[in-house]
């Protein structure tokens, strides 16, 4: 659903798993800092609201959105027990097609990491046409994509834990 049809920060808190036992990585792009720092603020407050301990949130900053996948991989190697890695960035469409190449590369990179590590690497990247659209999605009239990314990470990390629980075996 298009974000213009809903507020990215609206969700049912009762449906979100507790994060008190989770370790979460967050990678933030330094490019478009007013936007990406607002995304981070929304993400961090949501993680804390749902019980993730501040000392269990590991954050790094990378130069731009293109570097999010490699930053996520580096963070995941440094803290191998992370339950999820959230990547936050903003690529505003310009006069060239650079945004298409960056967005596609980041999405592909995070998908590859998720599959390779069997761990959620969450795409929290805004892909707006202009700065106003970005601000509208980074705490403005359409909510905050950072909140959505945090909720996705908590839900996917809980799903991963549930599906990887060792089942009891009879007779062994």
């Amino acid at each position: 659903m298009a974000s213009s049809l809903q507020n990215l920060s609206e969700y049912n808190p009762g449906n979100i798993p507790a994060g008190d036992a989770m370790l979460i990585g967050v990678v933030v792009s330094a490019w478009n800092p007013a936007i990406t720092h607002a995304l981070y603020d929304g993400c961090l407050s949501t993680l804390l609201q749902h019980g993730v301990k501040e000392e269990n949130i590991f954050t790094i900053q990378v130069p731009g959105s293109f570097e999010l996948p490699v930053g996520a991989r580096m963070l995941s190697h440094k803290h191998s027990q992370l339950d999820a890695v959230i990547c936050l960035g903003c690529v505003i469409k310009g006069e060239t097609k650079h945004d298409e190449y960056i967005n596609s590369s980041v999405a592909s990179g995070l998908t590859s990491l998720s599959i390779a590590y069997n761990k959620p690497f969450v795409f929290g990247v805004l892909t707006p046409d202009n700065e106003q659209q970005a601000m509208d999605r980074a705490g403005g009239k359409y909510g905050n994509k950072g909140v959505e990314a945090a909720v996705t990470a908590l839900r996917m990390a809980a799903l991963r834990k549930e599906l990887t629980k060792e089942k009891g075996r009879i007779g062994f």
Side-chain angles (χ1 to χ4, degrees):
M1 177 181 290
S3 60
S4 64
L5 301 177
Q6 68 177 15
N7 184 314
L8 299 172
S9 301
E10 290 180 0
Y11 64 96
N12 181 350
N15 290 339
I16 306 306
D20 56 323
M22 292 185 189
L23 303 174
I24 305 291
V26 183
V27 185
V28 184
S29 168
W31 196 259
N32 294 314
I35 304 299
T36 60
H37 292 179
L39 295 174
Y40 177 73
D41 291 344
C43 176
L44 180 63
S45 66
T46 301
L47 292 172
L48 295 172
Q49 175 187 342
H50 290 286
V52 180
K53 297 178 183 91
E54 196 164 355
E55 61 270 18
N56 291 342
I57 301 170
F58 304 90
T59 304
I60 63 169
Q61 192 168 52
V62 295
S65 290
F66 189 78
E67 292 78 27
L68 288 169
V70 72
R73 186 174 187 270
M74 290 174 177
L75 187 60
S76 190
H77 274 280
K78 180 173 175 69
H79 302 284
S80 62
Q81 299 303 310
L82 291 176
D83 295 298
V85 179
I86 302 166
C87 296
L88 302 171
C90 177
V91 183
I92 299 173
K93 184 168 181 55
E95 296 175 1
T96 66
K97 294 184 178 192
H98 82 286
D99 62 307
E100 294 175 27
Y101 298 114
I102 292 171
N103 295 336
S104 179
S105 294
V106 173
S108 179
L110 296 179
T111 299
S112 295
L113 287 170
S114 294
I115 292 167
Y117 285 80
N118 191 33
K119 172 187 307 187
F121 285 79
V122 178
F123 184 88
V125 180
L126 293 176
T127 60
D129 290 332
N130 56 56
E131 190 172 356
Q132 184 59 54
Q133 286 180 349
M135 293 183 334
D136 289 345
R137 290 157 178 80
K141 67 180 179 179
Y142 296 126
N144 189 314
K145 178 80 170 176
V147 171
E148 179 187 13
V151 167
T152 298
L154 292 168
R155 293 181 70 198
M156 289 301 293
L159 178 62
R160 178 179 178 247
K161 285 181 182 238
E162 180 63 31
L163 293 175
T164 58
K165 279 184 185 174
E166 192 168 333
K167 305 281 188 231
R169 298 180 188 210
I170 298 174
F172 294 97

